[in-house]
Amino acid sequence: AQKITQTQPGMFVQEKEAVTLDCTYDTSDQSYGLFWYKQPSSGEMIFLIYQGSYDEQNATEGRYSLNFQKARKSANLVISASQLGDSAMYFCAMREGPPSNTGKLIFGQGTTLQVKP
Amino acid sequence: EPEVTQTPSHQVTQMGQEVILRCVPISNHLYFYWYRQILGQKVEFLVSFYNNEISEKSEIFDDQFSVERPDGSNFTLKIRSTKLEDSAMYFCASSGDRGAPQPQHFGDGTRLSIL
C-alpha cells in the first residue's frame, strides 16, 4: 500500500513567492515522524525539516515550514520567499514509531520544483 | 558541519561483477542505512545496521547484497554479482542516538552503472 503520496510531479513558482508542496501519508501507528528532503540536480539528499506526530506546533526551519494536518494525514511543505536555488526535487518521507525510533524512511515519489526568475 | 561521505561518486561495472560501495558515516552516529534510487523514481530502503548487525532489510536486499562495518569508520555495501537492474544511485545515511528525533543524514550518493 502506498504510504506516502506526493500528487504533484512538477511545480513552478515565481521567485520571491511562497509555494506549497503536498504530501499525504497513511499509517496505523499513533506515533510517527514526517520528514522533507531536498534533492538538487547534483543528486545529494539534504534534510530540511521534521514533524513528529505528537508535536502540537507546526515545525519551522528558516524559510521552510510544515503545514501538519493530522486528521487529514497531510504534511505539506511551505517554502516562503522562493529563491532560484530552491529549484530541486523535494521528497516527503515517513518513519513509523516514536521520535526515538531509528527505523527506515519511507519516501514519496517526489515533486520537482522550478523557481522562475 | 559533519557529513556522510561516499566513494566512489560514480562506478561503472560489467554485469556479473562484484562491486563494493563505501561510506563513512558521521563519526558519533550509531545507526547506518543504505537506500537506492533508480533513475527518475523514489528513494527505496535497502537495509539498516546497528551494533554490527542488520536491523532490518527490504525485499530488494536479497542474497546478492551484504553490508559490513569493517572498522570503526567505514560502512560498505557489496553486490556480489551485479545485474542490469542494479543500476541506480545508492545512498548511505546515518543517524545518532535514540532519545530524540534523529533525521537521517545522507551522503551524496554513488551512481552505479551496470553495463
Side-chain angles (χ1 to χ4, degrees):
Chain A
Q2 187 87 352
K3 294 221 173 184
I4 296 283
T5 303
Q6 294 180 253
T7 57
Q8 307 152 312
M11 290 279 287
F12 288 92
V13 65
Q14 206 66 39
E15 194 179 8
K16 300 180 185 175
E17 292 185 351
V19 63
T20 298
L21 306 183
D22 294 343
C23 173
T24 57
Y25 59 91
D26 183 29
T27 180
S28 55
D29 279 20
Q30 295 301 307
S31 184
Y32 49 89
L34 297 153
F35 302 78
W36 278 90
Y37 284 83
K38 173 184 178 181
Q39 187 179 40
S41 58
S42 47
E44 69 269 31
M45 294 282 286
I46 303 166
F47 166 70
L48 296 178
I49 196 166
Y50 164 84
Q51 177 84 44
S53 58
Y54 289 115
D55 292 342
E56 294 183 353
Q57 306 253 351
N58 284 342
T60 60
E61 287 286 348
R63 294 186 299 109
Y64 304 109
S65 60
L66 207 150
N67 183 2
F68 181 47
Q69 298 187 45
K70 194 170 181 177
R72 298 179 63 180
K73 293 191 173 179
S74 75
N76 299 338
L77 177 70
V78 181
I79 306 174
S80 63
S82 298
Q83 301 172 356
L84 295 178
D86 294 335
S87 294
M89 176 81 93
Y90 289 81
F91 288 99
C92 179
M94 178 175 66
R95 183 176 64 202
E96 292 172 322
S100 58
N101 195 3
T102 51
K104 66 187 178 196
L105 293 175
I106 303 163
F107 284 83
Q109 296 279 11
T111 296
T112 300
L113 176 67
Q114 291 197 31
V115 181
K116 294 181 174 180
Chain B
E1 187 173 323
E3 58 183 27
V4 176
T5 56
Q6 289 186 243
T7 55
S9 56
H10 191 187
Q11 174 84 44
V12 181
T13 301
Q14 291 287 335
M15 187 173 60
Q17 295 295 307
E18 175 183 284
V19 66
I20 297 176
L21 309 182
R22 303 180 192 279
C23 170
V24 178
I26 294 173
S27 62
N28 62 345
H29 283 184
L30 301 175
Y31 300 87
F32 314 117
Y33 312 83
W34 283 101
Y35 292 83
R36 80 170 185 191
Q37 183 183 29
I38 294 171
L39 186 64
Q41 298 187 22
K42 67 179 177 181
V43 179
E44 301 173 289
F45 168 76
L46 292 178
V47 66
S48 58
F49 192 86
Y50 170 70
N51 200 25
N52 283 320
E53 60 183 30
I54 290 173
S55 310
E56 185 178 2
K57 59 183 181 179
S58 72
E59 295 172 350
I60 303 166
F61 194 88
D62 62 21
D63 292 343
Q64 294 297 318
F65 291 87
S66 62
V67 289
E68 195 178 32
R69 189 154 163 82
D71 53 43
S73 59
N74 290 284
F75 179 51
T76 61
L77 174 70
K78 182 194 288 187
I79 310 175
R80 287 190 186 81
S81 179
T82 49
K83 303 188 273 279
L84 292 176
E85 54 264 37
D86 293 328
S87 294
M89 181 77 97
Y90 287 80
F91 290 103
C92 173
S94 69
S95 66
D97 284 345
R98 292 177 178 266
Q102 292 286 346
Q104 292 175 19
H105 294 271
F106 284 69
D108 288 352
T110 293
R111 184 167 299 284
L112 178 62
S113 299
I114 307 300
L115 303 180

